[in-house]
Amino acid sequence: MSHVLIVESSARQQDSISRQLTQDFTAQWRAAHPSDQITVRDVAANPVPHLDADLLGGWMNPEDQRSAAQHQALARSNVLTDELLAADVLVLAAPMYNFTIPSTLKAWLDHVLRAGITFKYTPTGPQGLLNGKRAIVLTARGGIHAGAGSDHQEPYLRQVLGFIGIHDVTFIHAEGLNMSGDFHEKGLNQAKASLASVA
């Protein structure tokens, strides 16, 4: 039995394409892997704070020197990190906002990129500690950006996931969603067709 962690980040609850892709993925995954456990973390509906002094203090200060706010920030980070550590498959649902990922997803990443836990520093440089995990990234984009200089989602997420040791990463892009003509339908249909290959 595998454990799937889905991280939703669309600010929209209704009419969200990335959430629609997640629902389709979940249905297909459950059909193919009925015994797997699926956990959903919605960082838009329940956002985590952005990286701040309390979180840094919680990581860096000895336990007996942490303030109450630092203890709270560390506990929150531990919950999120434990969810990631327990997952065999990570699914990131990320609409493109201003050419990159939502800030809520960035905040989640800032909580789980933890020295000594999800990566470590070595004499030859940083080394990811989450080897063997797989990631699937579902994106929704108003224009067409794959392979272009305007795409700051895929390169960033590939780098940050690789940094923590996740190198098996599949991207499914629903593109052209806000373009006139049949781009919306074609982009969505192509993304949905690709879901079968990963589920």
Side-chain angles (χ1 to χ4, degrees):
M1 182 182 74
S2 295
H3 185 178
V4 180
L5 172 62
I6 297 174
V7 181
E8 295 274 20
S9 62
S10 174
R12 295 192 299 173
Q13 295 293 318
Q14 301 296 324
D15 302 319
S16 166
I17 298 298
S18 65
R19 291 181 186 278
Q20 184 177 334
L21 292 176
T22 303
Q23 291 172 2
D24 291 351
F25 168 84
T26 301
Q28 293 182 36
W29 190 275
R30 287 192 188 282
H33 313 276
S35 62
D36 283 4
Q37 179 182 349
I38 297 178
T39 299
V40 178
R41 166 69 61 174
D42 192 332
V43 296
N46 298 289
V48 297
H50 290 286
L51 183 62
D52 60 13
D54 288 329
L55 182 55
L56 291 173
W59 287 341
M60 296 177 180
N61 292 340
E63 183 175 2
D64 60 353
Q65 296 179 26
R66 294 178 195 139
S67 66
Q70 290 171 348
H71 277 289
Q72 184 178 18
L74 178 61
R76 180 174 50 245
S77 178
N78 287 342
V79 169
L80 299 174
T81 305
D82 287 347
E83 286 180 346
L84 177 58
L85 293 173
D88 302 290
V89 180
L90 171 65
V91 179
L92 301 178
M96 177 179 276
Y97 293 161
N98 300 316
F99 307 107
T100 188
I101 62 173
S103 63
T104 51
L105 181 55
K106 174 62 165 60
W108 178 83
L109 288 166
D110 285 340
H111 276 72
V112 301
L113 269 70
R114 305 260 308 264
I117 300 178
T118 57
F119 73 94
K120 66 180 179 180
Y121 291 108
T122 74
T124 57
Q127 177 183 330
L129 298 176
L130 302 189
N131 299 294
K133 296 185 186 294
R134 174 187 179 196
I136 300 163
V137 182
L138 310 175
T139 75
R141 300 163 164 195
I144 296 177
H145 301 277
S150 58
D151 182 359
H152 300 286
Q153 281 186 317
E154 182 168 342
Y156 170 71
L157 289 173
R158 282 195 185 279
Q159 180 172 355
V160 76
L161 291 171
F163 183 77
I164 57 176
I166 304 177
H167 300 285
D168 182 357
V169 185
T170 301
F171 281 80
I172 295 179
H173 300 299
E175 294 201 296
L177 301 176
N178 293 338
M179 297 173 66
S180 59
D182 62 352
F183 282 98
H184 179 102
E185 184 177 359
K186 286 176 60 177
L188 184 55
N189 288 342
Q190 287 174 358
K192 288 187 173 186
S194 297
L195 288 174
S197 66
V198 298

